[in-house]
Amino acid sequence: MFIIALTGGIGSGKSEAAKQFSLLGVPVVDTDAIAHALTVTGAPLLKIINQKLGGNFLAADGSLNRAKLRSHIFDNKEDRLNLEAILHPAIHALALEKLVQNEMQLRPNYQILVVPLLFENNRYDALVNRILVIDCDESVQIERAMARSNLTESQVKAMMAAQVSRKTRLTGADEVIENNGQLEELVVKVANLHKKFIKTCVVNK
Ligand code: ADP
Protein backbone atom coordinates (compact mmCIF):
# COMPACT_ATOMS: atom_id res chain seq x y z
CA MET A 1 0.00 0.00 0.00
CA PHE A 2 1.06 3.54 -0.63
CA ILE A 3 2.11 5.30 2.59
CA ILE A 4 2.06 9.05 2.92
CA ALA A 5 3.93 10.50 5.87
CA LEU A 6 2.17 13.50 7.36
CA THR A 7 4.42 15.81 9.30
CA GLY A 8 4.86 19.43 10.39
CA GLY A 9 6.01 21.52 13.32
CA ILE A 10 4.23 21.73 16.67
CA GLY A 11 0.85 23.40 16.27
CA SER A 12 0.97 23.40 12.46
CA GLY A 13 -2.28 21.43 12.23
CA LYS A 14 -1.12 17.82 11.75
CA SER A 15 -3.84 16.36 13.97
CA GLU A 16 -6.56 18.45 12.30
CA ALA A 17 -5.36 17.44 8.83
CA ALA A 18 -5.11 13.77 9.85
CA LYS A 19 -8.64 13.93 11.22
CA GLN A 20 -9.91 15.23 7.89
CA PHE A 21 -8.18 12.42 5.96
CA SER A 22 -9.71 9.96 8.38
CA LEU A 23 -13.18 11.44 7.83
CA LEU A 24 -12.66 10.80 4.10
CA GLY A 25 -12.10 7.12 4.88
CA VAL A 26 -8.31 7.11 4.70
CA PRO A 27 -6.64 4.85 7.27
CA VAL A 28 -4.49 6.96 9.60
CA VAL A 29 -1.70 5.62 11.80
CA ASP A 30 -0.55 8.25 14.29
CA THR A 31 2.81 7.68 15.98
CA ASP A 32 1.96 10.25 18.68
CA ALA A 33 -1.23 8.36 19.56
CA ILE A 34 0.79 5.13 19.66
CA ALA A 35 3.36 6.74 21.98
CA HIS A 36 0.51 7.79 24.24
CA ALA A 37 -1.09 4.34 24.20
CA LEU A 38 2.23 2.71 25.08
CA THR A 39 2.52 4.89 28.18
CA VAL A 40 -1.01 4.76 29.61
CA THR A 41 -1.39 3.76 33.24
CA GLY A 42 -0.49 0.10 33.66
CA ALA A 43 1.36 -0.20 30.35
CA PRO A 44 4.39 -2.50 30.77
CA LEU A 45 6.75 -0.03 29.07
CA LEU A 46 5.88 2.63 31.60
CA LYS A 47 7.60 0.74 34.42
CA ILE A 48 10.72 0.25 32.35
CA ILE A 49 10.85 3.93 31.38
CA ASN A 50 10.29 5.08 34.94
CA GLN A 51 13.02 2.81 36.30
CA LYS A 52 15.50 3.79 33.61
CA LEU A 53 14.96 7.51 34.25
CA GLY A 54 15.34 7.40 38.01
CA GLY A 55 11.89 6.39 39.23
CA ASN A 56 10.29 9.79 39.76
CA PHE A 57 7.75 10.03 37.00
CA LEU A 58 4.76 8.03 38.21
CA ALA A 59 1.96 9.46 40.36
CA ALA A 60 0.51 7.48 43.27
CA ASP A 61 -2.14 5.99 40.98
CA GLY A 62 0.56 4.72 38.60
CA SER A 63 -0.13 7.30 35.90
CA LEU A 64 2.71 9.00 34.07
CA ASN A 65 3.44 12.60 34.96
CA ARG A 66 3.83 13.65 31.35
CA ALA A 67 4.57 17.31 32.04
CA LYS A 68 7.37 16.38 34.47
CA LEU A 69 8.83 13.86 32.03
CA ARG A 70 8.64 16.35 29.15
CA SER A 71 10.45 19.05 31.06
CA HIS A 72 13.03 16.57 32.42
CA ILE A 73 14.05 15.22 29.03
CA PHE A 74 14.13 18.70 27.60
CA ASP A 75 16.92 19.58 30.02
CA ASN A 76 18.63 16.18 30.15
CA LYS A 77 19.99 14.85 26.90
CA GLU A 78 21.14 11.49 28.27
CA ASP A 79 17.70 10.67 29.64
CA ARG A 80 16.06 11.87 26.44
CA LEU A 81 18.20 9.40 24.51
CA ASN A 82 17.40 6.68 27.08
CA LEU A 83 13.69 7.35 26.71
CA GLU A 84 13.92 7.35 22.93
CA ALA A 85 15.90 4.11 22.92
CA ILE A 86 13.05 2.40 24.78
CA LEU A 87 10.04 4.10 23.24
CA HIS A 88 10.93 4.65 19.59
CA PRO A 89 11.48 1.02 18.54
CA ALA A 90 8.20 0.10 20.26
CA ILE A 91 6.34 2.90 18.46
CA HIS A 92 7.87 1.88 15.14
CA ALA A 93 6.95 -1.79 15.63
CA LEU A 94 3.34 -0.97 16.52
CA ALA A 95 3.03 1.53 13.66
CA LEU A 96 4.27 -1.11 11.24
CA GLU A 97 1.77 -3.62 12.60
CA LYS A 98 -1.08 -1.15 12.11
CA LEU A 99 0.08 -0.24 8.59
CA VAL A 100 0.14 -3.92 7.68
CA GLN A 101 -3.35 -4.40 9.13
CA ASN A 102 -4.57 -1.47 7.02
CA GLU A 103 -3.19 -3.18 3.92
CA MET A 104 -6.07 -5.62 4.22
CA GLN A 105 -8.46 -2.81 3.37
CA LEU A 106 -9.04 -2.48 -0.33
CA ARG A 107 -9.88 1.22 -0.36
CA PRO A 108 -8.53 3.78 -0.69
CA ASN A 109 -5.19 3.11 -2.36
CA TYR A 110 -3.13 4.89 0.26
CA GLN A 111 -2.84 5.44 3.99
CA ILE A 112 -1.48 8.20 6.18
CA LEU A 113 1.29 7.80 8.74
CA VAL A 114 1.53 10.78 11.10
CA VAL A 115 5.15 11.28 12.22
CA PRO A 116 5.70 14.64 13.92
CA LEU A 117 9.50 14.25 13.98
CA LEU A 118 9.88 12.69 10.54
CA PHE A 119 12.86 14.85 9.56
CA GLU A 120 14.51 14.52 12.97
CA ASN A 121 15.13 10.77 12.53
CA ASN A 122 15.43 8.37 9.62
CA ARG A 123 13.44 5.52 11.15
CA TYR A 124 10.49 5.89 8.79
CA ASP A 125 12.36 6.73 5.57
CA ALA A 126 12.17 3.23 4.13
CA LEU A 127 8.44 2.95 4.84
CA VAL A 128 7.05 6.07 3.25
CA ASN A 129 6.36 6.76 -0.40
CA ARG A 130 5.57 10.44 -0.16
CA ILE A 131 5.88 13.25 2.40
CA LEU A 132 3.09 15.70 3.14
CA VAL A 133 4.04 18.72 5.24
CA ILE A 134 1.43 20.80 7.07
CA ASP A 135 2.81 24.29 7.18
CA CYS A 136 1.84 27.64 8.64
CA ASP A 137 3.55 30.87 9.62
CA GLU A 138 5.52 30.61 12.83
CA SER A 139 3.41 33.27 14.53
CA VAL A 140 0.25 31.23 13.80
CA GLN A 141 1.99 28.05 14.94
CA ILE A 142 2.97 29.65 18.25
CA GLU A 143 -0.50 31.06 18.84
CA ARG A 144 -2.25 27.75 18.15
CA ALA A 145 0.18 25.62 20.14
CA MET A 146 -0.08 28.00 23.12
CA ALA A 147 -3.88 27.91 23.07
CA ARG A 148 -4.12 24.14 22.55
CA SER A 149 -1.59 22.99 25.13
CA ASN A 150 -1.70 25.85 27.63
CA LEU A 151 1.95 26.68 27.05
CA THR A 152 3.79 29.99 27.23
CA GLU A 153 5.27 31.59 24.14
CA SER A 154 8.80 30.81 25.28
CA GLN A 155 7.90 27.15 25.92
CA VAL A 156 6.53 26.81 22.38
CA LYS A 157 9.53 28.63 20.93
CA ALA A 158 11.89 26.30 22.80
CA MET A 159 10.03 23.28 21.39
CA MET A 160 10.21 24.74 17.89
CA ALA A 161 13.94 25.35 18.30
CA ALA A 162 14.40 21.65 19.14
CA GLN A 163 12.71 20.66 15.86
CA VAL A 164 14.09 21.02 12.31
CA SER A 165 13.54 24.38 10.67
CA ARG A 166 10.48 25.21 8.61
CA LYS A 167 12.78 25.53 5.60
CA THR A 168 14.17 22.00 6.06
CA ARG A 169 10.64 20.61 6.24
CA LEU A 170 9.47 22.48 3.15
CA THR A 171 12.56 21.40 1.22
CA GLY A 172 11.89 17.75 2.05
CA ALA A 173 8.17 17.88 1.25
CA ASP A 174 6.53 16.27 -1.78
CA GLU A 175 3.26 18.01 -0.95
CA VAL A 176 2.52 20.99 1.29
CA ILE A 177 -0.75 22.09 2.83
CA GLU A 178 -0.58 25.73 3.89
CA ASN A 179 -2.70 26.02 7.03
CA ASN A 180 -2.76 29.73 7.90
CA GLY A 181 -6.46 30.10 7.23
CA GLN A 182 -9.74 28.90 8.69
CA LEU A 183 -10.48 25.27 9.42
CA GLU A 184 -12.91 25.22 6.47
CA GLU A 185 -10.01 25.99 4.13
CA LEU A 186 -8.01 23.11 5.57
CA VAL A 187 -10.98 20.80 5.00
CA VAL A 188 -11.12 21.79 1.32
CA LYS A 189 -7.35 21.44 0.86
CA VAL A 190 -7.36 17.96 2.38
CA ALA A 191 -10.28 16.92 0.18
CA ASN A 192 -8.48 18.17 -2.95
CA LEU A 193 -5.26 16.42 -2.03
CA HIS A 194 -7.22 13.25 -1.30
CA LYS A 195 -8.55 13.32 -4.87
CA LYS A 196 -5.02 13.75 -6.17
CA PHE A 197 -3.68 10.90 -4.02
CA ILE A 198 -6.49 8.61 -5.18
CA LYS A 199 -5.44 9.26 -8.76
CA THR A 200 -1.68 9.24 -8.40
CA CYS A 201 -0.65 6.94 -5.57
CA VAL A 202 0.30 3.73 -7.30
CA VAL A 203 2.45 1.04 -5.77
CA ASN A 204 4.76 -0.90 -8.05
CA LYS A 205 4.09 -4.48 -7.03
P1 ADP B 1 -0.32 19.64 15.60
O1 ADP B 1 -0.98 18.29 15.63
O2 ADP B 1 0.42 19.90 14.33
O3 ADP B 1 0.51 19.96 16.81
P2 ADP B 1 -3.07 20.57 15.81
O4 ADP B 1 -3.72 19.91 14.64
O5 ADP B 1 -3.33 19.99 17.17
O6 ADP B 1 -1.49 20.74 15.59
O7 ADP B 1 -3.46 22.11 15.78
C1 ADP B 1 -3.07 22.97 16.84
C2 ADP B 1 -4.29 23.72 17.33
O8 ADP B 1 -4.71 24.60 16.31
C3 ADP B 1 -5.47 22.81 17.64
O9 ADP B 1 -6.20 23.35 18.72
C4 ADP B 1 -6.29 22.86 16.35
O10 ADP B 1 -7.66 22.62 16.58
C5 ADP B 1 -6.04 24.29 15.90
N1 ADP B 1 -6.06 24.43 14.43
C6 ADP B 1 -5.40 23.70 13.51
N2 ADP B 1 -5.64 24.16 12.27
C7 ADP B 1 -6.46 25.21 12.41
C8 ADP B 1 -7.09 26.14 11.50
N3 ADP B 1 -6.90 26.05 10.18
N4 ADP B 1 -7.88 27.09 12.01
C9 ADP B 1 -8.06 27.20 13.34
N5 ADP B 1 -7.52 26.38 14.25
C10 ADP B 1 -6.74 25.41 13.80
mmCIF file of all heavy atoms in Angstrom, residues 6-19 30 32 114 116 134 136 140-141 143-149 163 178-187, ligand 1:
data_model
loop_
_atom_site.group_PDB
_atom_site.id
_atom_site.type_symbol
_atom_site.label_atom_id
_atom_site.label_comp_id
_atom_site.label_asym_id
_atom_site.label_seq_id
_atom_site.Cartn_x
_atom_site.Cartn_y
_atom_site.Cartn_z
ATOM 1 N N LEU A 6 2.700 12.155 7.102
ATOM 2 C CA LEU A 6 2.167 13.502 7.360
ATOM 3 C C LEU A 6 2.966 14.081 8.517
ATOM 4 O O LEU A 6 3.037 13.485 9.597
ATOM 5 C CB LEU A 6 0.677 13.389 7.695
ATOM 6 C CG LEU A 6 -0.139 14.684 7.837
ATOM 7 C CD1 LEU A 6 -1.612 14.393 7.625
ATOM 8 C CD2 LEU A 6 0.073 15.355 9.176
ATOM 9 N N THR A 7 3.595 15.226 8.262
ATOM 10 C CA THR A 7 4.424 15.810 9.305
ATOM 11 C C THR A 7 4.267 17.332 9.330
ATOM 12 O O THR A 7 3.521 17.902 8.529
ATOM 13 C CB THR A 7 5.899 15.378 9.123
ATOM 14 O OG1 THR A 7 6.651 15.736 10.289
ATOM 15 C CG2 THR A 7 6.541 16.002 7.897
ATOM 16 N N GLY A 8 4.950 17.971 10.246
ATOM 17 C CA GLY A 8 4.862 19.428 10.392
ATOM 18 C C GLY A 8 5.312 19.799 11.802
ATOM 19 O O GLY A 8 5.415 18.928 12.667
ATOM 20 N N GLY A 9 5.563 21.067 12.006
ATOM 21 C CA GLY A 9 6.007 21.522 13.323
ATOM 22 C C GLY A 9 4.882 21.476 14.344
ATOM 23 O O GLY A 9 3.714 21.264 13.987
ATOM 24 N N ILE A 10 5.238 21.688 15.587
ATOM 25 C CA ILE A 10 4.230 21.729 16.668
ATOM 26 C C ILE A 10 3.188 22.804 16.350
ATOM 27 O O ILE A 10 3.540 23.923 15.947
ATOM 28 C CB ILE A 10 4.907 21.993 18.039
ATOM 29 C CG1 ILE A 10 3.838 22.109 19.126
ATOM 30 C CG2 ILE A 10 5.829 23.201 18.009
ATOM 31 C CD1 ILE A 10 4.392 22.268 20.527
ATOM 32 N N GLY A 11 1.930 22.432 16.464
ATOM 33 C CA GLY A 11 0.848 23.400 16.266
ATOM 34 C C GLY A 11 0.545 23.750 14.817
ATOM 35 O O GLY A 11 -0.283 24.617 14.542
ATOM 36 N N SER A 12 1.192 23.057 13.877
ATOM 37 C CA SER A 12 0.973 23.401 12.462
ATOM 38 C C SER A 12 -0.397 22.945 11.964
ATOM 39 O O SER A 12 -0.910 23.481 10.974
ATOM 40 C CB SER A 12 2.074 22.775 11.593
ATOM 41 O OG SER A 12 2.075 21.364 11.748
ATOM 42 N N GLY A 13 -0.959 21.931 12.634
ATOM 43 C CA GLY A 13 -2.276 21.431 12.226
ATOM 44 C C GLY A 13 -2.255 19.980 11.756
ATOM 45 O O GLY A 13 -3.169 19.546 11.055
ATOM 46 N N LYS A 14 -1.240 19.235 12.163
ATOM 47 C CA LYS A 14 -1.123 17.820 11.746
ATOM 48 C C LYS A 14 -2.344 17.012 12.178
ATOM 49 O O LYS A 14 -2.909 16.262 11.397
ATOM 50 C CB LYS A 14 0.125 17.163 12.359
ATOM 51 C CG LYS A 14 1.440 17.731 11.916
ATOM 52 C CD LYS A 14 2.594 17.020 12.572
ATOM 53 C CE LYS A 14 2.652 17.209 14.064
ATOM 54 N NZ LYS A 14 2.904 18.593 14.495
ATOM 55 N N SER A 15 -2.726 17.171 13.448
ATOM 56 C CA SER A 15 -3.843 16.364 13.966
ATOM 57 C C SER A 15 -5.137 16.719 13.258
ATOM 58 O O SER A 15 -5.931 15.840 12.923
ATOM 59 C CB SER A 15 -4.010 16.571 15.471
ATOM 60 O OG SER A 15 -2.785 16.353 16.112
ATOM 61 N N GLU A 16 -5.338 18.019 13.019
ATOM 62 C CA GLU A 16 -6.557 18.449 12.303
ATOM 63 C C GLU A 16 -6.569 17.869 10.891
ATOM 64 O O GLU A 16 -7.596 17.371 10.422
ATOM 65 C CB GLU A 16 -6.622 19.977 12.226
ATOM 66 C CG GLU A 16 -7.074 20.657 13.491
ATOM 67 C CD GLU A 16 -8.525 20.336 13.872
ATOM 68 O OE1 GLU A 16 -9.294 19.849 13.030
ATOM 69 O OE2 GLU A 16 -8.870 20.559 15.041
ATOM 70 N N ALA A 17 -5.437 17.956 10.207
ATOM 71 C CA ALA A 17 -5.362 17.437 8.834
ATOM 72 C C ALA A 17 -5.586 15.925 8.836
ATOM 73 O O ALA A 17 -6.344 15.401 8.009
ATOM 74 C CB ALA A 17 -4.010 17.787 8.219
ATOM 75 N N ALA A 18 -4.966 15.241 9.780
ATOM 76 C CA ALA A 18 -5.107 13.772 9.852
ATOM 77 C C ALA A 18 -6.566 13.396 10.095
ATOM 78 O O ALA A 18 -7.090 12.445 9.510
ATOM 79 C CB ALA A 18 -4.214 13.221 10.957
ATOM 80 N N LYS A 19 -7.219 14.185 10.942
ATOM 81 C CA LYS A 19 -8.642 13.928 11.222
ATOM 82 C C LYS A 19 -9.467 14.051 9.940
ATOM 83 O O LYS A 19 -10.360 13.230 9.688
ATOM 84 C CB LYS A 19 -9.131 14.937 12.272
ATOM 85 C CG LYS A 19 -10.516 14.646 12.807
ATOM 86 C CD LYS A 19 -10.831 15.542 13.985
ATOM 87 C CE LYS A 19 -11.805 16.615 13.571
ATOM 88 N NZ LYS A 19 -11.987 17.651 14.585
ATOM 89 N N ASP A 30 -1.140 7.060 13.666
ATOM 90 C CA ASP A 30 -0.553 8.247 14.288
ATOM 91 C C ASP A 30 0.486 7.816 15.333
ATOM 92 O O ASP A 30 0.141 7.229 16.358
ATOM 93 C CB ASP A 30 -1.682 9.067 14.947
ATOM 94 C CG ASP A 30 -1.181 10.391 15.506
ATOM 95 O OD1 ASP A 30 0.022 10.502 15.819
ATOM 96 O OD2 ASP A 30 -2.000 11.307 15.647
ATOM 97 N N ASP A 32 2.148 9.568 17.386
ATOM 98 C CA ASP A 32 1.959 10.246 18.680
ATOM 99 C C ASP A 32 0.914 9.510 19.516
ATOM 100 O O ASP A 32 1.082 9.335 20.728
ATOM 101 C CB ASP A 32 1.471 11.682 18.452
ATOM 102 C CG ASP A 32 2.559 12.690 18.789
ATOM 103 O OD1 ASP A 32 3.688 12.258 19.085
ATOM 104 O OD2 ASP A 32 2.274 13.900 18.738
ATOM 105 N N VAL A 114 1.182 9.495 10.485
ATOM 106 C CA VAL A 114 1.532 10.779 11.104
ATOM 107 C C VAL A 114 2.824 10.610 11.919
ATOM 108 O O VAL A 114 2.867 9.817 12.865
ATOM 109 C CB VAL A 114 0.405 11.281 12.046
ATOM 110 C CG1 VAL A 114 0.762 12.649 12.615
ATOM 111 C CG2 VAL A 114 -0.928 11.340 11.304
ATOM 112 N N PRO A 116 5.325 13.253 13.662
ATOM 113 C CA PRO A 116 5.701 14.644 13.921
ATOM 114 C C PRO A 116 7.197 14.921 13.684
ATOM 115 O O PRO A 116 7.544 15.935 13.097
ATOM 116 C CB PRO A 116 5.330 14.832 15.400
ATOM 117 C CG PRO A 116 4.195 13.880 15.606
ATOM 118 C CD PRO A 116 4.534 12.681 14.761
ATOM 119 N N ILE A 134 2.419 19.780 6.711
ATOM 120 C CA ILE A 134 1.429 20.797 7.072
ATOM 121 C C ILE A 134 2.226 22.002 7.558
ATOM 122 O O ILE A 134 3.053 21.881 8.471
ATOM 123 C CB ILE A 134 0.474 20.299 8.188
ATOM 124 C CG1 ILE A 134 -0.075 18.897 7.876
ATOM 125 C CG2 ILE A 134 -0.654 21.303 8.410
ATOM 126 C CD1 ILE A 134 -0.864 18.784 6.585
ATOM 127 N N CYS A 136 2.450 26.318 8.445
ATOM 128 C CA CYS A 136 1.835 27.637 8.644
ATOM 129 C C CYS A 136 2.904 28.597 9.154
ATOM 130 O O CYS A 136 4.001 28.172 9.536
ATOM 131 C CB CYS A 136 0.641 27.559 9.597
ATOM 132 S SG CYS A 136 1.039 27.118 11.273
ATOM 133 N N VAL A 140 1.518 31.979 13.690
ATOM 134 C CA VAL A 140 0.252 31.228 13.800
ATOM 135 C C VAL A 140 0.484 29.942 14.593
ATOM 136 O O VAL A 140 -0.303 29.560 15.470
ATOM 137 C CB VAL A 140 -0.293 30.890 12.385
ATOM 138 C CG1 VAL A 140 -1.557 30.060 12.469
ATOM 139 C CG2 VAL A 140 -0.536 32.153 11.591
ATOM 140 N N GLN A 141 1.594 29.290 14.262
ATOM 141 C CA GLN A 141 1.987 28.051 14.940
ATOM 142 C C GLN A 141 2.087 28.267 16.454
ATOM 143 O O GLN A 141 1.536 27.493 17.248
ATOM 144 C CB GLN A 141 3.370 27.679 14.383
ATOM 145 C CG GLN A 141 3.705 26.220 14.377
ATOM 146 C CD GLN A 141 5.133 26.016 13.874
ATOM 147 O OE1 GLN A 141 5.678 26.800 13.102
ATOM 148 N NE2 GLN A 141 5.750 24.951 14.329
ATOM 149 N N GLU A 143 0.826 30.715 18.286
ATOM 150 C CA GLU A 143 -0.495 31.059 18.840
ATOM 151 C C GLU A 143 -1.343 29.801 19.062
ATOM 152 O O GLU A 143 -1.919 29.601 20.132
ATOM 153 C CB GLU A 143 -1.187 31.947 17.809
ATOM 154 C CG GLU A 143 -2.140 32.975 18.358
ATOM 155 C CD GLU A 143 -2.566 33.881 17.208
ATOM 156 O OE1 GLU A 143 -1.827 34.831 16.876
ATOM 157 O OE2 GLU A 143 -3.617 33.590 16.635
ATOM 158 N N ARG A 144 -1.408 28.946 18.050
ATOM 159 C CA ARG A 144 -2.254 27.751 18.153
ATOM 160 C C ARG A 144 -1.715 26.758 19.171
ATOM 161 O O ARG A 144 -2.487 26.157 19.925
ATOM 162 C CB ARG A 144 -2.377 27.075 16.775
ATOM 163 C CG ARG A 144 -3.268 27.851 15.830
ATOM 164 C CD ARG A 144 -3.426 27.127 14.518
ATOM 165 N NE ARG A 144 -4.195 27.916 13.556
ATOM 166 C CZ ARG A 144 -4.088 27.816 12.244
ATOM 167 N NH1 ARG A 144 -3.249 26.949 11.717
ATOM 168 N NH2 ARG A 144 -4.824 28.561 11.447
ATOM 169 N N ALA A 145 -0.402 26.575 19.185
ATOM 170 C CA ALA A 145 0.182 25.616 20.140
ATOM 171 C C ALA A 145 -0.011 26.107 21.577
ATOM 172 O O ALA A 145 -0.290 25.322 22.484
ATOM 173 C CB ALA A 145 1.663 25.404 19.840
ATOM 174 N N MET A 146 0.117 27.431 21.781
ATOM 175 C CA MET A 146 -0.079 27.997 23.123
ATOM 176 C C MET A 146 -1.512 27.742 23.596
ATOM 177 O O MET A 146 -1.739 27.311 24.727
ATOM 178 C CB MET A 146 0.190 29.507 23.109
ATOM 179 C CG MET A 146 1.652 29.872 23.089
ATOM 180 S SD MET A 146 1.886 31.655 22.842
ATOM 181 C CE MET A 146 1.218 32.333 24.355
ATOM 182 N N ALA A 147 -2.465 28.048 22.700
ATOM 183 C CA ALA A 147 -3.883 27.915 23.065
ATOM 184 C C ALA A 147 -4.251 26.449 23.306
ATOM 185 O O ALA A 147 -4.956 26.120 24.253
ATOM 186 C CB ALA A 147 -4.752 28.507 21.961
ATOM 187 N N ARG A 148 -3.749 25.558 22.440
ATOM 188 C CA ARG A 148 -4.123 24.144 22.551
ATOM 189 C C ARG A 148 -3.549 23.489 23.799
ATOM 190 O O ARG A 148 -4.238 22.762 24.503
ATOM 191 C CB ARG A 148 -3.660 23.374 21.311
ATOM 192 C CG ARG A 148 -4.056 21.907 21.340
ATOM 193 C CD ARG A 148 -3.171 21.059 20.463
ATOM 194 N NE ARG A 148 -1.772 21.248 20.788
ATOM 195 C CZ ARG A 148 -0.764 20.854 20.024
ATOM 196 N NH1 ARG A 148 -1.010 20.280 18.880
ATOM 197 N NH2 ARG A 148 0.484 21.056 20.399
ATOM 198 N N SER A 149 -2.263 23.753 24.069
ATOM 199 C CA SER A 149 -1.589 22.992 25.128
ATOM 200 C C SER A 149 -1.317 23.805 26.387
ATOM 201 O O SER A 149 -0.594 23.331 27.274
ATOM 202 C CB SER A 149 -0.270 22.433 24.593
ATOM 203 O OG SER A 149 -0.487 21.647 23.461
ATOM 204 N N GLN A 163 13.132 21.372 17.071
ATOM 205 C CA GLN A 163 12.712 20.657 15.860
ATOM 206 C C GLN A 163 13.472 21.205 14.651
ATOM 207 O O GLN A 163 14.084 22.261 14.732
ATOM 208 C CB GLN A 163 11.199 20.848 15.638
ATOM 209 C CG GLN A 163 10.365 20.344 16.807
ATOM 210 C CD GLN A 163 8.850 20.447 16.561
ATOM 211 O OE1 GLN A 163 8.386 21.136 15.669
ATOM 212 N NE2 GLN A 163 8.099 19.745 17.396
ATOM 213 N N GLU A 178 -0.777 24.489 3.126
ATOM 214 C CA GLU A 178 -0.580 25.727 3.889
ATOM 215 C C GLU A 178 -1.818 25.912 4.768
ATOM 216 O O GLU A 178 -2.940 25.937 4.261
ATOM 217 C CB GLU A 178 -0.372 26.876 2.893
ATOM 218 C CG GLU A 178 -0.171 28.216 3.550
ATOM 219 C CD GLU A 178 -1.445 29.030 3.534
ATOM 220 O OE1 GLU A 178 -1.853 29.463 2.448
ATOM 221 O OE2 GLU A 178 -2.032 29.193 4.629
ATOM 222 N N ASN A 179 -1.588 26.004 6.073
ATOM 223 C CA ASN A 179 -2.701 26.022 7.033
ATOM 224 C C ASN A 179 -2.720 27.302 7.865
ATOM 225 O O ASN A 179 -2.760 27.272 9.089
ATOM 226 C CB ASN A 179 -2.612 24.770 7.931
ATOM 227 C CG ASN A 179 -3.783 24.650 8.902
ATOM 228 O OD1 ASN A 179 -4.885 25.101 8.594
ATOM 229 N ND2 ASN A 179 -3.542 24.052 10.064
ATOM 230 N N ASN A 180 -2.660 28.449 7.174
ATOM 231 C CA ASN A 180 -2.759 29.727 7.897
ATOM 232 C C ASN A 180 -4.204 30.180 8.066
ATOM 233 O O ASN A 180 -4.491 31.031 8.893
ATOM 234 C CB ASN A 180 -2.011 30.830 7.138
ATOM 235 C CG ASN A 180 -0.516 30.720 7.334
ATOM 236 O OD1 ASN A 180 -0.037 30.527 8.449
ATOM 237 N ND2 ASN A 180 0.226 30.796 6.243
ATOM 238 N N GLY A 181 -5.089 29.586 7.266
ATOM 239 C CA GLY A 181 -6.458 30.101 7.228
ATOM 240 C C GLY A 181 -7.409 29.408 8.186
ATOM 241 O O GLY A 181 -6.992 28.791 9.175
ATOM 242 N N GLN A 182 -8.683 29.503 7.859
ATOM 243 C CA GLN A 182 -9.739 28.903 8.691
ATOM 244 C C GLN A 182 -9.737 27.381 8.528
ATOM 245 O O GLN A 182 -9.235 26.866 7.533
ATOM 246 C CB GLN A 182 -11.105 29.426 8.247
ATOM 247 C CG GLN A 182 -11.250 30.935 8.269
ATOM 248 C CD GLN A 182 -11.261 31.480 9.689
ATOM 249 O OE1 GLN A 182 -12.012 30.983 10.519
ATOM 250 N NE2 GLN A 182 -10.434 32.458 9.962
ATOM 251 N N LEU A 183 -10.379 26.727 9.486
ATOM 252 C CA LEU A 183 -10.480 25.266 9.419
ATOM 253 C C LEU A 183 -11.174 24.807 8.131
ATOM 254 O O LEU A 183 -10.805 23.782 7.554
ATOM 255 C CB LEU A 183 -11.261 24.737 10.625
ATOM 256 C CG LEU A 183 -10.432 24.395 11.866
ATOM 257 C CD1 LEU A 183 -11.322 23.910 12.982
ATOM 258 C CD2 LEU A 183 -9.364 23.352 11.539
ATOM 259 N N GLU A 184 -12.167 25.589 7.695
ATOM 260 C CA GLU A 184 -12.911 25.223 6.473
ATOM 261 C C GLU A 184 -11.969 25.127 5.269
ATOM 262 O O GLU A 184 -12.162 24.287 4.398
ATOM 263 C CB GLU A 184 -14.008 26.261 6.163
ATOM 264 C CG GLU A 184 -15.131 26.380 7.185
ATOM 265 C CD GLU A 184 -14.709 27.073 8.472
ATOM 266 O OE1 GLU A 184 -13.766 27.892 8.432
ATOM 267 O OE2 GLU A 184 -15.300 26.784 9.533
ATOM 268 N N GLU A 185 -10.976 26.025 5.250
ATOM 269 C CA GLU A 185 -10.014 25.994 4.130
ATOM 270 C C GLU A 185 -9.168 24.717 4.194
ATOM 271 O O GLU A 185 -8.868 24.102 3.168
ATOM 272 C CB GLU A 185 -9.084 27.211 4.190
ATOM 273 C CG GLU A 185 -9.795 28.520 3.928
ATOM 274 C CD GLU A 185 -8.889 29.719 4.195
ATOM 275 O OE1 GLU A 185 -7.700 29.700 3.816
ATOM 276 O OE2 GLU A 185 -9.364 30.688 4.817
ATOM 277 N N LEU A 186 -8.805 24.341 5.406
ATOM 278 C CA LEU A 186 -8.013 23.111 5.573
ATOM 279 C C LEU A 186 -8.822 21.906 5.084
ATOM 280 O O LEU A 186 -8.283 21.023 4.398
ATOM 281 C CB LEU A 186 -7.625 22.943 7.050
ATOM 282 C CG LEU A 186 -6.837 21.678 7.400
ATOM 283 C CD1 LEU A 186 -5.466 21.675 6.716
ATOM 284 C CD2 LEU A 186 -6.650 21.540 8.912
ATOM 285 N N VAL A 187 -10.104 21.903 5.412
ATOM 286 C CA VAL A 187 -10.981 20.795 5.001
ATOM 287 C C VAL A 187 -10.988 20.664 3.470
ATOM 288 O O VAL A 187 -10.839 19.561 2.928
ATOM 289 C CB VAL A 187 -12.419 21.011 5.545
ATOM 290 C CG1 VAL A 187 -13.379 19.988 4.967
ATOM 291 C CG2 VAL A 187 -12.424 20.962 7.066
HETATM 292 P P1 ADP B 1 -0.322 19.642 15.599
HETATM 293 O O1 ADP B 1 -0.982 18.286 15.635
HETATM 294 O O2 ADP B 1 0.422 19.899 14.332
HETATM 295 O O3 ADP B 1 0.505 19.959 16.813
HETATM 296 P P2 ADP B 1 -3.071 20.568 15.810
HETATM 297 O O4 ADP B 1 -3.716 19.912 14.644
HETATM 298 O O5 ADP B 1 -3.335 19.988 17.165
HETATM 299 O O6 ADP B 1 -1.491 20.738 15.588
HETATM 300 O O7 ADP B 1 -3.463 22.111 15.776
HETATM 301 C C1 ADP B 1 -3.071 22.970 16.837
HETATM 302 C C2 ADP B 1 -4.289 23.717 17.328
HETATM 303 O O8 ADP B 1 -4.713 24.601 16.314
HETATM 304 C C3 ADP B 1 -5.473 22.813 17.637
HETATM 305 O O9 ADP B 1 -6.197 23.353 18.718
HETATM 306 C C4 ADP B 1 -6.290 22.864 16.353
HETATM 307 O O10 ADP B 1 -7.657 22.620 16.576
HETATM 308 C C5 ADP B 1 -6.044 24.289 15.900
HETATM 309 N N1 ADP B 1 -6.055 24.434 14.434
HETATM 310 C C6 ADP B 1 -5.402 23.701 13.510
HETATM 311 N N2 ADP B 1 -5.639 24.160 12.273
HETATM 312 C C7 ADP B 1 -6.463 25.212 12.406
HETATM 313 C C8 ADP B 1 -7.095 26.135 11.498
HETATM 314 N N3 ADP B 1 -6.901 26.050 10.175
HETATM 315 N N4 ADP B 1 -7.875 27.088 12.011
HETATM 316 C C9 ADP B 1 -8.062 27.198 13.340
HETATM 317 N N5 ADP B 1 -7.524 26.385 14.253
HETATM 318 C C10 ADP B 1 -6.735 25.406 13.801
#
